[in-house]
Amino acid sequence: MDLITGTITGLAGTSGFATMDLRQMIMIVVSCVLLYLGIVKKFEPLLLVGIAFGMLLTNLPGSGVFHPEFWGVDVNYGTVLHDGGLLDLLYIGVKTGIYPSLIFMGVGAMTDFSPLIARPSSLFMGAAAQGGIFVALLMATAMGFAPKVAASIAIIGGADGPTAIWLTKILAPEYLGPIAIAAYSYMALIPLIQPPIMKLLTTEKERKIKMDTLRPVSKTEKIVFPIMVSIVTCLVLPSVAPLLGCLMLGNLFKECGVTERLSDTVQNALMNIVTIFLSISVGATAVYDRFLSWDTIKIIILGLIAFCFATACGVLFGKLMCVLSGGKINPLIGSAGVSAVPMAARVSQMVGQRYNPSNFLLMHAMGPNVAGVIGSAVAAGCLLKLFG
């Protein structure tokens, strides 16, 4: 009897329940809420489910799957490999920038740059939408965040999860959890965030504008485009070569016509594997003693402001292009200048069709949308140059 009692007492003393902190309980509840949003509400489920489960695992007392103390400024990878938990090992891909770059390769293989090639002026709407990044940068600095942290928060406005992770893991890795969760959560909420801003800044007449069909784009143009963008952009901003280089390589696999197997692998198998590793290891950084703070609340608020300003900047520039084109460009497509492909373009299509059922803006909106992918990477490169 004493043996049984001693065994039960020993198990109780070494279980996670014995060392459970109230903050860990709160984080477990938060992770369950995020799982609900990903599974039931389908908010970016491919990423949010993994992020939420990684958050759950890292906040279970005694699990030992992730050690935030290993990931300071000077990382000893020997210690990580010898003493690290499962998520420490997976996090190496985040810390070294491998996962975001491979995600960009998959995005490139799934992206059609034809609308941007057919109407190069779309690039300006994609650039204008990055205004939300710099508004958030100024606000974050004014709220007392250090410049590197402010830059990492600001990149949320680009609506580009991989880019936000890539920049934050360099400038402010201790804030990776809240920044990644804010970025992907707001990306999922784009259909709710953008339409009110689009309606506020445009007239009914502008929303009803029908745009001419885009010109056909030749195969040669599609092949040359990723090569030239890589050369020009990476010469101007060498630091973005990992992201933009992989984005354009993935697109070249798709367009060149001789690497179908590679394109298929990048779009499907590789993309799915990297997404799993990226999401669960990013979620692991949301450790209770770092995540539950006023800074996290400020980051969530600033992220929303950044998204709103990014949408507004894109729409306002779309209005300018509408005027300059003599009323041939529907300013709604400017909202697609954020980097969430193709969700933002679909929102432009949805709002436009609501006011004119015969309006088909999707392909026109894809121009600013894919330009936003390039723009957010360039903006991240500029911030890294300034604050890195």
Side-chain angles (χ1 to χ4, degrees), residues 271-325:
M271 188 73 160
N272 291 335
I273 291 169
V274 176
T275 297
I276 293 170
F277 290 171
L278 174 69
S279 60
I280 194 171
S281 53
V282 165
T285 64
V287 183
Y288 70 96
D289 58 348
R290 300 186 181 193
F291 190 87
L292 293 177
S293 66
W294 285 112
D295 283 350
T296 297
I297 296 174
K298 292 177 185 177
I299 288 169
I300 292 171
I301 294 172
L302 286 168
L304 178 60
I305 292 172
F307 263 64
C308 292
F309 270 97
T311 301
C313 289
V315 173
L316 290 175
F317 199 87
K319 288 172 72 75
L320 175 61
M321 292 189 66
C322 178
V323 173
L324 296 177
S325 66

Side-chain angles (χ1 to χ4, degrees), residues 101-142:
S101 298
L102 292 180
I103 289 286
F104 254 52
M105 189 183 297
V107 170
M110 293 187 287
T111 300
D112 183 3
F113 285 105
S114 297
L116 177 58
I117 299 171
R119 182 178 283 118
S121 59
S122 299
L123 187 66
F124 296 111
M125 282 184 275
Q130 308 312 311
I133 293 175
F134 297 99
V135 169
L137 175 64
L138 294 174
M139 294 188 68
T141 303

